[in-house]
Amino acid sequence: MNEQIAVKDLVLAQDKKDWFVADRFGMFIHWGLYALGARHEWLKNREEITTADYQKYFDNFDPDLYDPKEWARRAREAGMKYVVLTTKHHEGFCLWDSKVTDYKAPNTPYGKDLLKPFVDAFRAEGLKIGFYYSLIDWHHKDFGVDVHHPQRNADDAAAMNVGRNISNYASYMRDQVRELLTGYGKIDVIWFDFSYPNRTYRNLPGKGRQDWQSEELLAMVRQLQPDIIVNNRLDLIGQEGYLPDITTPEQYTPRAAPRINGQAVTWEACHTFSGSWGYYRDEETWKNPEQLIKLLVDTVSLGGNLLMNVGPTGRGTFDSRANDALAVYGEWMRLNSRSIYGAGPSTFQAPKDCRLTQKGNRLYLHIYSWPFRHIHIDGLGDKLKYAQFLHDASEVRWLTPEPTVDSNIGVAVPQGSITLELPVKQPNVTV
Ligand code: JFZ
């Protein structure tokens, strides 16, 4: 490793992230050979499938209905402003025409590169482009059997590592990332996944920054794409002066905005429609419309972005459940996106069963459970100039000071609170 590289010099300036923070909502896409297995993108690991047995997916990969223009249109209509695509997931299969491997889409029955048309289509719809690139690679000959490897339980697991040279793999990754960051114009996000340096299983190790040669990889990324946002999974946290550009909690909405060493950080929650990331035909854990909208609002109210995942099918389509979920976002965002784009956490305290987002001096109240007529908000007394519903711009009136009625006797009403007067019946907010 090049000792000259100081990771603290590889941190992206905050203003380069302004677009990301304002955009708030992106589409994650997990697509690879595992779409054919249609039972989780980790199936090679979960079922301990050998590379020879996994070959059937490569030999049958032919997404004849692939139409990235349709994907891009659906993403834009859902209100998503950027996209992150798995150019290579843990299985090692590459969607683009990489010069350093044969394990790529152009060598399958499909016979063509999938990435260039993807990038063109999403850019044409005005979305920013992100590439997910897996650090884990269960196909590469120099990637040793480790705690997460499909062959971790093989009797000869340790012996299988003889002759494997992880530094060849690190150099292969740099070659591939160089291809990705030089062949497709300006790339806005790169999402490396993932490090597990301290895990062990049956004497098998984990992998982290020494294996990936993370400093060198990151330095190369910065040199090729100076404005690119790099996620936090290179195992560099804790290195002198280093802060990741974004922090990426996964399938988990934190109770408060994440911090590193007490410092607020730019962050992005990633979630799925169905539970798994890759297309999973029989999964029964699809989120309902209310959960979908709340994930977005919860995240933005804590100052984060939401990266919501679709797992396309082996024919290259979004299945109907994914399209329905995207339409839920589209319908909601058409009327409510003002509370999302450019918005963030509020300086005011959200009332019970509510979330607040704020953009400048505009406060957005998201009511999760419709009350009988009254919502009390503290601290707004002399600040509130006008209130309206977002969906139809109809006026909402309020009482200030908050009335002191019999039921309030003995209750301290905070100074400066107001009481919104809502209709008894919740308006249909998606008309
Ligand atoms: C990773 C991938 O394994 C997964 O398939 C998907 O791509 C997701 C977005 O990222 O998921 C992880 C990453 C880290 C852990 C678990 C799942 N971890 O550290 O336990």
Side-chain angles (χ1 to χ4, degrees):
M1 199 198 73
N2 185 341
E3 296 299 334
Q4 307 303 308
I5 303 163
V7 286
K8 68 172 167 32
D9 297 330
L10 299 174
V11 174
L12 193 66
Q14 189 65 37
D15 65 336
K16 305 277 190 186
K17 298 188 259 183
D18 287 349
W19 71 266
F20 180 85
V21 172
D23 281 359
R24 286 298 184 210
F25 191 27
M27 175 180 278
F28 216 170
I29 300 181
H30 276 66
W31 199 36
L33 300 179
Y34 44 80
L36 295 191
R39 53 182 192 275
H40 205 280
E41 77 283 355
W42 274 62
L43 88 162
K44 192 177 185 191
N45 158 292
R46 288 180 166 193
E47 300 173 24
E48 303 178 22
I49 302 173
T50 63
T51 290
D53 287 343
Y54 203 74
Q55 183 65 23
K56 62 187 173 187
Y57 300 129
F58 184 92
D59 293 341
N60 287 287
F61 186 77
D62 189 10
D64 60 322
L65 298 179
Y66 176 54
D67 179 4
K69 292 195 183 114
E70 187 190 332
W71 292 9
R73 178 179 55 77
R74 289 186 186 276
R76 179 187 43 78
E77 286 173 357
M80 292 157 163
K81 296 280 199 184
Y82 63 103
V83 66
V84 179
L85 170 72
T86 54
T87 58
K88 180 193 87 166
H89 201 260
H90 307 340
E91 64 183 2
F93 176 69
C94 298
L95 300 188
W96 80 102
D97 193 8
S98 174
K99 301 300 170 229
V100 293
T101 184
D102 295 329
Y103 203 52
K104 57 183 177 182
N107 290 344
T108 65
Y110 183 69
K112 282 177 283 186
D113 163 49
L114 294 163
L115 191 56
K116 184 69 169 55
F118 177 93
V119 170
D120 290 346
F122 276 78
R123 271 206 195 113
E125 292 285 0
L127 279 83
K128 292 212 162 46
I129 306 293
F131 289 160
Y132 169 111
Y133 181 84
S134 177
L135 300 165
I136 298 174
D137 193 317
W138 298 325
H139 182 83
H140 195 279
K141 65 175 176 42
D142 283 306
F143 190 95
V145 177
D146 64 10
V147 316
H148 290 311
H149 196 276
Q151 273 68 63
R152 66 197 169 283
N153 286 315
D155 292 337
D156 56 346
M160 286 168 75
N161 282 334
V162 174
R164 294 194 194 208
N165 182 350
I166 192 71
S167 96
N168 288 344
Y169 175 67
S171 141
Y172 170 82
M173 287 206 291
R174 287 193 296 276
D175 289 343
Q176 291 212 309
V177 171
R178 192 178 302 111
E179 290 179 350
L180 291 170
L181 299 188
T182 54
Y184 304 86
K186 185 173 190 301
I187 302 303
D188 303 291
V189 176
I190 189 155
W191 225 96
F192 291 112
D193 198 31
F194 64 91
S195 301
Y196 43 103
N198 301 319
R199 295 184 194 170
T200 53
Y201 175 72
R202 296 179 73 220
N203 292 325
L204 297 170
K207 284 186 177 62
R209 64 173 178 276
Q210 263 128 26
D211 303 285
W212 322 132
Q213 301 180 3
S214 293
E215 287 93 334
E216 217 165 319
L217 182 58
L218 180 57
M220 188 194 80
V221 166
R222 282 278 183 259
Q223 195 215 332
L224 298 175
Q225 296 272 350
D227 294 344
I228 200 169
I229 290 174
V230 187
N231 74 335
N232 61 334
R233 298 187 179 189
L234 283 166
D235 183 32
L236 289 172
I237 295 166
Q239 299 296 99
E240 171 101 50
Y242 173 82
L243 265 188
D245 302 339
I246 54 169
T247 295
T248 58
E250 183 175 326
Q251 304 218 36
Y252 181 76
T253 305
R255 70 159 70 210
R259 292 176 165 267
I260 298 180
N261 300 327
Q263 211 176 316
V265 291
T266 306
W267 65 283
E268 174 193 68
C270 51
H271 284 277
T272 68
F273 284 148
S274 71
S276 70
W277 300 88
Y279 176 64
Y280 194 145
R281 183 191 58 209
D282 303 333
E283 205 160 39
E284 296 290 355
T285 46
W286 289 73
K287 293 167 184 61
N288 67 32
E290 186 177 332
Q291 290 171 319
L292 294 174
I293 301 304
K294 284 180 173 175
L295 276 179
L296 179 59
V297 172
D298 282 350
T299 303
V300 175
S301 76
L302 295 177
N305 282 29
L306 176 63
L307 186 62
M308 180 51 83
N309 182 73
V310 178
T313 70
R315 292 195 71 183
T317 55
F318 291 178
D319 91 343
S320 61
R321 294 164 294 185
N323 285 334
D324 289 349
L326 288 168
V328 165
Y329 278 122
E331 204 179 345
W332 190 85
M333 286 293 274
R334 190 170 73 81
L335 295 169
N336 299 295
S337 66
R338 274 156 55 191
S339 70
I340 299 296
Y341 301 140
S346 173
T347 48
F348 297 94
Q349 186 75 40
K352 188 159 134 337
D353 296 330
C354 295
R355 300 290 183 276
L356 288 174
T357 59
Q358 193 172 336
K359 177 162 50 184
N361 61 4
R362 297 243 175 174
L363 188 62
Y364 299 94
L365 176 70
H366 304 262
I367 304 167
Y368 278 10
S369 170
W370 199 255
F372 172 72
R373 292 196 61 214
H374 305 124
I375 291 183
H376 311 291
I377 311 179
D378 292 348
L380 274 186
D382 53 350
K383 299 199 173 70
L384 191 55
K385 301 285 182 259
Y386 189 73
Q388 60 178 199
F389 280 109
L390 197 45
H391 71 289
D392 65 353
S394 61
E395 183 178 12
V396 175
R397 290 182 290 182
W398 70 92
L399 305 167
T400 187
E402 182 176 330
T404 311
V405 293
D406 285 356
S407 61
N408 267 348
I409 290 171
V411 176
V413 173
Q415 261 226 311
S417 70
I418 60 121
T419 298
L420 289 179
E421 291 195 303
L422 302 176
V424 172
K425 184 171 159 49
Q426 177 175 14
N428 178 0
V429 293
T430 55
V431 285

